[in-house]
Amino acid sequence: MSPTDGLRDASDWLRSQEPAIKEQLVQWAEIASGSHDTVGLQRMSNRLRADWQHHGFTLQPTPLSAIQEVASQGEIVEWKSVDALVARQRPGAARRVLLAIHFDTVYEQESDFKQCQWLDADRLRGPGVVDAKGGLLVMMWALAAIEKFDLAGEIGWTAILNPDEEIGSPASAALFQQQAGLHDFGLLFEPCLPDGAMVSQRKGSGNFTIVVRGRSAHSGRDPEDGRNAIVLLSQVVGEVDRLNDPHAGTTVNVGRIEGGGPLNRVPDLAIGRLNVRVNDASALADFENRLSQIVDQANEREGFEVRLHGGFHAPPKSVDDRTREIQRAVEASLDASEPAIRWQPTGGACDGSKLAFYGLPNVDTLGPRGGNLHSPDEWVDTASIVPKATSIVRLLTAYARGDKWMC
Ligand SMILES: [Zn+2]
């Protein structure tokens, strides 16, 4: 069988599977798997292992390190998510591709967005339908087709499915770092943009928590003994807010404030949480310096202790020559009937940013088309799933045949 026949057969087969794929998407999306919902994540993990096994692939559970978070009393708590899942084919091959996407969603246990609903014949609304359960399907079905029709030749691949992307992949980052050097390039299955455009460069993203501890006192009897943590935190976040510099691409969002109690008591604890996005490494370093200065100055105030936690979980991702080569290969893998790809920068971060930082060039929006991510109106165009999977089959087939890009 010539590769061209094989490709045609693979593409016909994928098209014939479309009704089953749509049904599978509804079932996967209705398994709640919020990043902190370890019971739901384990259920999703079990389902993924069974469905991958159906195509002859073994998803190996791979334990991750513990995650540290600042809890509501300002203390550091440690918890463990479920294992990441890793499948490998021909791991000894000289040329290897890394494919990855997450199986956690932003919809935690308490969310009441749990069911899917068909908006029309192709558009499905539901939790995680496009971010990233639709992407999980594109990846699995592309790999199934490439193995079923023997199109992978001598190339090896590794698939990583991680449970913590929506909280910045604190636990799976080490796995990505370790795997980055073992592969030639990466393919990630985050959703493409609603109009079909794909992401080129990404801003860096950091999450920080500022914990202010003061001293409590009776607000009427001895207010002078108190050190009001809320008031100091307000001043601190006011200064942090002034680090916003839209012209330079730096945006800071103070997203959450916790603290306080009875109104006749000076509050001794206040916690502020913020997210920042930056364009490049120098803006990142600049922001970190200025934030530390603000915190250090506040910490010098008598009677207070001010602590800073967190950091940048995703470095800025830029497009270098190697990334451009993969972009060209993705463009070449499109069916002639599909419109040309538009590449667009975004402020959003993902695991593609980490992999690029660890030295693995990648394209990270190979998932289906959809929109309203992270909201109760999240939707996916299910008609885009099979064409996306088919294009990955073409891309990997071209790579297996030794097309000159990326060596
Ligand atoms: Zn995602």
Side-chain angles (χ1 to χ4, degrees), residues 354-400:
K354 283 194 175 61
L355 282 168
F357 181 74
Y358 299 139
L360 188 72
N362 62 81
V363 167
D364 57 27
T365 34
L366 294 162
R369 201 175 69 83
N372 298 337
L373 281 57
H374 300 191
S375 91
D377 291 316
E378 179 171 344
W379 61 273
V380 62
D381 174 8
T382 58
S384 67
I385 295 176
V386 165
K388 292 279 177 186
T390 308
S391 124
I392 295 300
V393 172
R394 278 195 213 101
L395 186 150
L396 291 177
T397 305
Y399 188 57

Side-chain angles (χ1 to χ4, degrees), residues 59-177:
L59 280 174
Q60 199 67 47
T62 306
L64 303 174
S65 57
I67 297 172
Q68 290 194 341
E69 284 178 345
V70 180
S72 61
Q73 292 306 306
E75 78 282 21
I76 308 271
V77 291
E78 258 200 7
W79 62 283
K80 241 174 137 59
S81 186
V82 303
D83 296 342
L85 299 171
V86 181
R88 288 192 176 84
Q89 209 76 359
R90 295 170 295 279
R95 297 157 63 203
R96 285 188 298 264
V97 184
L98 178 66
L99 301 95
I101 192 61
H102 58 96
F103 61 96
D104 61 324
T105 72
V106 296
Y107 309 101
E108 299 287 355
Q109 252 164 329
E110 60 273 16
S111 157
D112 47 21
F113 186 35
K114 299 229 185 292
Q115 302 290 313
C116 291
Q117 178 197 4
W118 288 100
L119 301 173
D120 57 37
D122 291 326
R123 274 196 339 147
L124 181 70
R125 170 182 166 266
V129 285
V130 73
D131 184 16
K133 290 183 175 166
L136 282 162
L137 281 167
V138 171
M139 176 165 85
M140 180 184 79
W141 283 93
L143 292 171
I146 200 152
E147 295 300 333
K148 183 178 171 71
F149 295 93
D150 239 340
L151 295 165
E154 296 296 305
I155 58 168
W157 54 259
T158 304
I160 298 181
L161 288 67
N162 59 325
D164 58 344
E165 193 273 345
E166 295 292 2
I167 50 172
S169 303
S172 52
L175 178 61
F176 284 122
Q177 181 169 19

Side-chain angles (χ1 to χ4, degrees), residues 35-363:
S35 309
H36 291 88
D37 178 4
T38 48
V39 174
L41 283 166
Q42 191 56 56
R43 206 174 294 135
M44 189 64 209
S45 164
N46 295 345
R47 175 64 196 258
L48 286 165
R49 291 179 71 194
D51 287 358
W52 280 63
Q53 195 66 57
H54 183 78
H55 297 291
F57 304 140
T58 302
L59 280 174
Q60 199 67 47
T62 306
L64 303 174
S65 57
I67 297 172
Q68 290 194 341
E69 284 178 345
V70 180
S72 61
Q73 292 306 306
E75 78 282 21
I76 308 271
V77 291
E78 258 200 7
W79 62 283
K80 241 174 137 59
S81 186
V82 303
D83 296 342
L85 299 171
V86 181
R88 288 192 176 84
Q89 209 76 359
R90 295 170 295 279
R95 297 157 63 203
R96 285 188 298 264
V97 184
L98 178 66
L99 301 95
I101 192 61
H102 58 96
F103 61 96
D104 61 324
T105 72
V106 296
Y107 309 101
E108 299 287 355
Q109 252 164 329
E110 60 273 16
S111 157
D112 47 21
F113 186 35
K114 299 229 185 292
Q115 302 290 313
C116 291
Q117 178 197 4
W118 288 100
L119 301 173
D120 57 37
D122 291 326
R123 274 196 339 147
L124 181 70
R125 170 182 166 266
V129 285
V130 73
D131 184 16
K133 290 183 175 166
L136 282 162
L137 281 167
V138 171
M139 176 165 85
M140 180 184 79
W141 283 93
L143 292 171
I146 200 152
E147 295 300 333
K148 183 178 171 71
F149 295 93
D150 239 340
L151 295 165
E154 296 296 305
I155 58 168
W157 54 259
T158 304
I160 298 181
L161 288 67
N162 59 325
D164 58 344
E165 193 273 345
E166 295 292 2
I167 50 172
S169 303
S172 52
L175 178 61
F176 284 122
Q177 181 169 19
Q178 174 218 337
Q179 291 295 315
L182 304 175
H183 295 85
D184 304 327
F185 64 96
L187 303 173
L188 289 91
F189 296 85
E190 293 289 346
C192 61
L193 301 175
D195 64 355
M198 294 179 73
V199 170
S200 50
Q201 64 205 54
R202 292 179 178 273
K203 285 190 176 187
S205 175
N207 290 330
F208 294 86
T209 301
I210 299 166
V211 179
V212 177
R213 290 183 195 279
R215 193 187 304 144
S216 63
H218 192 290
S219 68
R221 285 191 186 195
D222 38 22
E224 64 286 354
D225 289 346
R227 296 292 179 273
N228 192 315
I230 291 181
V231 172
L232 181 57
L233 178 64
S234 316
Q235 293 165 3
V236 169
V237 296
E239 286 178 56
V240 172
D241 185 59
R242 282 193 284 279
L243 300 180
N244 267 298
D245 187 354
H247 291 298
T250 300
T251 57
V252 187
N253 181 51
V254 178
R256 186 167 173 162
I257 292 278
E258 296 151 85
L263 300 190
N264 59 357
R265 181 170 159 255
V266 177
D268 61 352
L269 173 68
I271 303 171
R273 301 177 196 261
L274 57 107
N275 177 259
V276 56
R277 310 275 164 152
V278 294
N279 270 348
D280 51 41
S282 87
L284 185 154
D286 190 47
F287 178 84
E288 281 184 328
N289 281 337
R290 292 165 76 177
L291 180 62
S292 311
Q293 272 170 22
I294 292 171
V295 169
D296 288 348
Q297 270 169 20
N299 202 29
E300 279 167 20
R301 295 275 296 271
E302 185 272 325
F304 288 97
E305 182 195 73
V306 186
R307 286 261 162 86
L308 178 65
H309 303 274
F312 278 87
H313 55 270
K317 182 184 182 190
S318 56
V319 177
D320 61 8
D321 289 348
R322 293 165 76 206
T323 312
R324 219 161 275 125
E325 278 187 80
I326 313 168
Q327 290 181 343
R328 296 296 90 86
V330 170
E331 288 166 359
S333 74
L334 289 187
D335 187 81
S337 65
E338 292 176 85
I341 296 174
R342 218 164 36 77
W343 299 93
Q344 195 176 304
T346 175
C350 80
D351 288 329
S353 315
K354 283 194 175 61
L355 282 168
F357 181 74
Y358 299 139
L360 188 72
N362 62 81
V363 167

